[in-house]
Amino acid sequence: MIEALLGQVRNTALIIGLVALVGLLLQKKKSSEVISGTVKTIIGFMIFNIGSGAMSGVVNNFSKLFNLGFGVEGVTTQVEVATALALNEFGTEVALVFVLGFIFNLIIAKFTKFKAIFLTGQHFLYFGAVLALVFIALGSPMIVTVLVGGLVLGFAGAALPSLAQPFMKKITGSDDIAMGHFNLIGYTFAGWVGKLFAKSAEKEESDSSDVNLPDFLKLFRDFVFSVAVFMMVLFYVATIACVVNGHMDVVKKMAMNDIWFIWPLLQGLQFAAGMSVLIYGVRQFIAEITAAFVGISEKYIPDAKPAVDCPAVFPFAPNAVLIGFVGALLGGFLGMWLMIMFKSPVVLIPAAGIAFFSGGTAGVFGNAYGGWKGALVGSFLVGIGLVVLPLVLYPAFAQLGIAEASFPNIDYNIFGAVIYAIINFMKGLF
Amino acid sequence: MYKALVACRAGMGSSLLLKIKVDQVIKENNYPIETEHGNLDSLIGYTGDLFISMEDLAEELRDTVKYAIGIRNIVDKNEIQSKLEEYLNFESNQ
């Protein structure tokens, strides 16, 4: 009986449902809304799992092909897949870090001068997964993992947005929103790089909005579409590398028929389909939790500042978003090439979704002072960071079974790597 | 009762907050508007009256929906209120 109950506790969907239930009760919703909200949250999490299953299947195929074709281990920096893998292995720990992170964020915003309330729920979950994995990799007991992980997460949510706030003020022209996307160190850096181009931007009076971008680039503003195209291209590269290196038999076996050249196309689309399902699920289970978080913070911490997801800054410089997307992708490819040149045992491959959202935001930050040059160079450098930084923690995570994908975002990796290094060092002392 | 879709590209963080804020404004002013939340794909076959999004996206989709509202600052309730009023005036003049 107790065994069976503990088994249920490992069920992350139920934990998330419980959080939504508490949130809805705290908001004093009608009982019908409480029931439907809770049930929909649990279903949302299950949909997330179905989507992530579909995506990891495709990522698995891709890594096999890439490894065979190029003779190096290729890992995509797809945060959704990495988080899903982490949730499969350590669902309880990740979910509890996530929940405590929210609570600590509220407490820190209430009592310290760090006033941001981090409202991008899915990003909170990803960072929570990284922190849980770091502590688990260090062999911490569960209570330490959950408490310290939650505290660090809450601190990052409340404090990191203030780094980027001066740039947010310049971009939005007001001081009432903060950036809530864990590349804040990267965005601040991009903004600072943009300042280096401030003189030339003033001289030419060039804002990125004057640059005429080709129409086909605008297609890539559709997130699911650009993910599909990008995965197709990656699949063709890996498949052709296999064929050229004499592994046609493996390709045919994986494609399960002789017209192997259509298969990479379908795999790319399949990946995007999985992504759509996953996003649908995330939307359902994040919705209730975010609403509760907003409700609580507006009531009890009225001077807090909402930290919001990156598309919130896109309207302020739409062209810089696309310049940033291209810049981050180019940076990602350079990073990948560097890893191949220096014979890194694993090669991290940039992901389209990350390049769009994180690169696009880096572009907006770079553009704030530096015009289109600032947008391009800033996002290019951030793009390198997005594929190179995960190298540091990858070996620790791979040991835990999180090997097919990796967490790209800059703040997770810097925080995670620093914590990992400090605790490892302290462990050596005793 | 008018039906509105609040959405952004991926339909996660930013449009969710926008929906929360839009709902607050609607409730405070008793506007006859009901919202749902989604992403770009939710627009396929959407039969509601109104599409609410970030300004850049709303601009792009202006021709494909019945009426689009673009919000520049998603936490600015005054901006949301004045644009919703504009929409309601438009509807009552139809």
Side-chain angles (χ1 to χ4, degrees), chain A residues 11 25-26 66 75 84 123 126 153 174 222-223 225 241-242 278 290 310 314 352 354 366 375 390 409 422:
Chain A
N11 192 332
L25 289 174
L26 278 176
F66 191 90
V75 176
H123 241 231
Y126 305 154
L153 184 59
S174 75
D222 188 327
F223 170 54
F225 173 84
C242 276
L278 179 134
T290 310
C310 35
F314 290 1
I354 308 297
N409 294 60
I422 291 175

Side-chain angles (χ1 to χ4, degrees), chain B residues 4-27:
Chain B
L5 175 71
V6 184
C8 62
R9 288 169 216 285
M12 295 202 273
S14 45
S15 53
L16 199 59
L17 186 68
L18 182 58
K19 178 183 171 349
I20 292 171
K21 290 284 158 192
V22 168
D23 283 343
Q24 285 176 352
V25 173
I26 290 173
K27 207 175 162 194

Side-chain angles (χ1 to χ4, degrees), chain A residues 293-361:
Chain A
F293 200 45
V294 171
I296 295 166
S297 67
E298 283 182 350
K299 203 163 178 187
Y300 298 105
I301 318 167
D303 57 342
K305 198 168 283 180
V308 298
D309 202 359
C310 35
V313 297
F314 290 1
F316 296 96
N319 268 342
V321 175
L322 289 181
I323 296 173
F325 169 58
V326 174
L329 262 189
L330 293 176
F333 287 131
L334 176 72
M336 194 175 145
W337 182 76
L338 287 175
M339 283 181 252
I340 295 171
M341 282 295 291
F342 287 104
K343 307 230 174 335
S344 161
V346 281
V347 172
L348 295 164
I349 301 157
I354 308 297
F356 183 77
F357 287 106
S358 301
T361 311

Side-chain angles (χ1 to χ4, degrees), chain A residues 3-63:
Chain A
E3 276 290 291
L5 270 176
L6 281 176
Q8 291 303 310
V9 174
R10 283 212 74 82
N11 192 332
T12 320
L14 284 182
I15 298 178
I16 301 277
L18 202 64
V19 178
L21 176 68
V22 173
L24 288 160
L25 289 174
L26 278 176
Q27 292 177 85
K28 301 202 178 83
K29 294 262 179 178
K30 278 183 284 180
S31 56
S32 60
E33 283 179 273
V34 172
I35 295 168
S36 87
T38 308
V39 170
K40 275 174 78 179
T41 304
I42 297 173
I43 296 172
F45 198 81
M46 290 170 169
I47 296 172
F48 170 85
N49 276 334
I50 295 171
S52 72
M55 285 172 83
S56 6
V58 179
V59 168
N60 255 332
N61 286 341
F62 174 74
S63 335

Side-chain angles (χ1 to χ4, degrees), chain A residues 121-193:
Chain A
Q122 78 275 19
H123 241 231
F124 227 64
L125 180 68
Y126 305 154
F127 202 159
V130 170
L131 289 168
L133 289 177
V134 165
F135 285 105
I136 293 167
L138 288 163
S140 315
M142 179 149 160
I143 180 89
V144 176
T145 301
V146 169
L147 275 178
V148 185
L151 184 64
V152 174
L153 184 59
F155 173 77
L160 274 180
S162 57
L163 267 184
Q165 199 54 30
F167 294 104
M168 281 300 280
K169 246 192 238 173
K170 165 84 176 157
I171 292 164
T172 64
S174 75
D175 199 19
D176 44 38
I177 47 172
M179 172 52 56
H181 199 246
F182 283 126
N183 276 317
L184 286 154
I185 300 172
Y187 298 148
T188 309
F189 178 71
W192 181 78
V193 168

